Amino acid sequence: DADVSNKESFSRGGTYVELGQRFGTDDRWKFLVRAGTSQNDNRVVDVSDKTIVGATLLKTFGNVEAQVNYYRELHQIPLKSAYNYGEFRLVTAF
């Protein structure tokens, strides 16, 4: 059985999908669901390999947008320590 990590060539790939729906008065609210995968080297399972799902709720206030984001990492290996990520962001457009 050969060590596959010694192959000279490898594939790097990823996929991503995002679906969103505006709602509320003047369509100022938006709900998004996201999913994606990425793998930098198909020869090995690595800490950088990702399989994520997530959701975002945002509201627009003129030039300011408030966002609440949540992501869950589904690709679990012993080297990873965090599988959930959440944030609150304020984004300004000039």
Side-chain angles (χ1 to χ4, degrees), residues 22 26-28 59-66 91-94:
R22 292 191 179 278
D26 299 327
D27 286 339
R28 292 180 359 154
K59 185 173 183 181
T60 304
F61 303 91
N63 290 341
V64 177
E65 181 179 270
V91 179
T92 304
F94 293 103

Side-chain angles (χ1 to χ4, degrees), residues 38-59:
S38 71
Q39 185 177 32
N40 289 330
D41 186 341
N42 72 325
R43 301 172 296 177
V44 294
V45 174
D46 188 42
V47 71
S48 66
D49 296 350
K50 292 180 177 44
T51 303
I52 63 163
V53 294
T56 297
L57 180 63
L58 59 89
K59 185 173 183 181

Side-chain angles (χ1 to χ4, degrees), residues 74-90:
L74 302 178
H75 187 79
Q76 298 186 6
I77 63 172
L79 296 174
K80 288 186 181 181
S81 60
Y83 295 100
N84 296 295
Y85 174 75
E87 68 179 354
F88 174 75
R89 293 175 36 168
L90 290 174

Side-chain angles (χ1 to χ4, degrees), residues 15-28:
T15 59
Y16 179 79
V17 65
E18 176 180 282
L19 301 170
Q21 177 65 51
R22 292 191 179 278
F23 64 95
T25 306
D26 299 327
D27 286 339
R28 292 180 359 154

